[in-house]
Amino acid sequence: KAGVTQTPRYLIKTRGQQVTLSCSPISGHRSVSWYQQTPGQGLQFLFEYFSETQRNKGNFPGRFSGRQFSNSRSEMNVSTLELGDSALYLCASNSGQVTDTQYFGPGTRLTVL
Amino acid sequence: AQTVTQSQPEMSVQEAETVTLSCTYDTSESDYYLFWYKQPPSRQMILVIRQEAYKQQNATENRFSVNFQKAAKSFSLKISDSQLGDAAMYFCARGTGANSKLTFGKGITLSVRP
């Protein structure tokens, strides 16, 4: 099976812009979770989507949003970018059972100038 | 806050030797799961090993094994016969039966000396 894929792998944006990141889960997986990784804060949970619904949410401002499509692919959107949003954004998928292991994609490196 | 702590930021091991990476966690849940993930410079987070809290037996995967001490809330990873390809950042993580959210430690950078 193909693994989790994320596009694009790299992005450079300027403050105030918005950005959309995409994640395609492993075939058959119905849950997609998003994490932000920074040197200072480490890995932090953003949100999880299951069956096109947000099932769980981390402690991030409303500028961070997401959605999931009927084929389980997910997108994450960040509006009004700030310098502090520069990070590696990782998505992970699993079957949808909350106890199932999550498998990660290669990440999207976002740089905000 | 329910945290995961990796107190050693860096470790080094000689090729073919054994190294142990430490992790402690805090949780009020009775149903939880523990993981070690490896993140090489390529950034892809790879699952190394998983341990269910309700299992007394320590998980093993080839050269990787854990020492799970439930009462002490300790979950260390032992890498035997270290190889150059083991060089990476290793993250300890905790999941619960309540939701899919993983809580990660800060990670430890492991270097392997040839």
Side-chain angles (χ1 to χ4, degrees):
Chain A
K1 275 188 184 178
V4 178
T5 58
Q6 292 186 246
T7 56
R9 295 293 307 276
Y10 302 90
L11 266 179
I12 299 176
K13 293 286 186 179
T14 56
R15 278 181 300 174
Q17 288 187 308
Q18 76 166 21
V19 68
T20 299
L21 313 182
S22 180
C23 173
S24 292
I26 291 171
S27 178
H29 282 186
R30 298 171 61 198
S31 166
V32 173
S33 294
W34 289 89
Y35 293 82
Q36 181 195 65
Q37 185 177 17
T38 60
Q41 298 299 317
L43 280 144
Q44 294 184 287
F45 173 77
L46 280 153
F47 33 62
E48 182 216 0
Y49 284 86
F50 174 73
S51 290
E52 302 178 62
T53 302
Q54 188 180 86
R55 185 161 68 172
N56 199 12
K57 188 178 187 304
N59 189 26
F60 276 81
R63 298 186 298 107
F64 292 83
S65 63
R67 59 177 175 168
Q68 187 179 35
F69 302 93
S70 58
N71 62 357
S72 295
R73 188 177 71 86
S74 177
E75 288 182 346
M76 189 190 96
N77 185 272
V78 188
S79 63
T80 319
L81 283 166
E82 300 177 359
L83 295 179
D85 297 333
S86 294
L88 179 66
Y89 290 89
L90 295 166
C91 80
S93 76
N94 71 9
S95 66
Q97 277 198 306
V98 295
T99 57
D100 192 24
T101 295
Q102 292 186 38
Y103 296 91
F104 284 81
T108 294
R109 170 73 66 188
L110 172 65
T111 302
V112 182
L113 302 176
Chain B
Q2 299 191 19
T3 58
V4 176
T5 303
Q6 295 178 253
S7 56
Q8 309 150 303
E10 296 179 356
M11 285 196 76
S12 181
V13 64
Q14 191 75 35
E15 195 176 4
E17 297 293 309
T18 295
V19 65
T20 299
L21 311 183
S22 301
C23 173
T24 58
Y25 61 93
D26 181 25
T27 184
S28 56
E29 304 274 348
S30 59
D31 181 17
Y32 61 93
Y33 304 80
L34 299 165
F35 305 86
W36 280 97
Y37 282 93
K38 168 187 176 181
Q39 189 178 40
S42 67
R43 305 187 324 228
Q44 179 98 37
M45 192 84 76
I46 301 163
L47 175 70
V48 175
I49 201 163
R50 169 189 167 120
Q51 173 80 45
E52 277 81 357
Y54 65 83
K55 289 187 177 178
Q56 291 188 332
Q57 188 172 7
N58 289 325
T60 63
E61 285 289 342
N62 301 312
R63 298 182 295 108
F64 299 88
S65 61
V66 300
N67 183 5
F68 174 45
Q69 301 290 326
K70 191 171 183 177
K73 292 190 171 66
S74 169
F75 182 61
S76 60
L77 175 70
K78 185 172 84 171
I79 306 174
S80 304
D81 185 27
S82 297
Q83 300 175 0
L84 295 177
D86 294 334
M89 195 145 187
Y90 286 80
F91 292 92
C92 177
R94 187 204 69 234
T96 77
N99 57 60
S100 290
K101 172 186 173 183
L102 292 177
T103 300
F104 285 87
K106 292 289 189 184
I108 177 171
T109 300
L110 177 67
S111 58
V112 181
R113 305 186 301 274

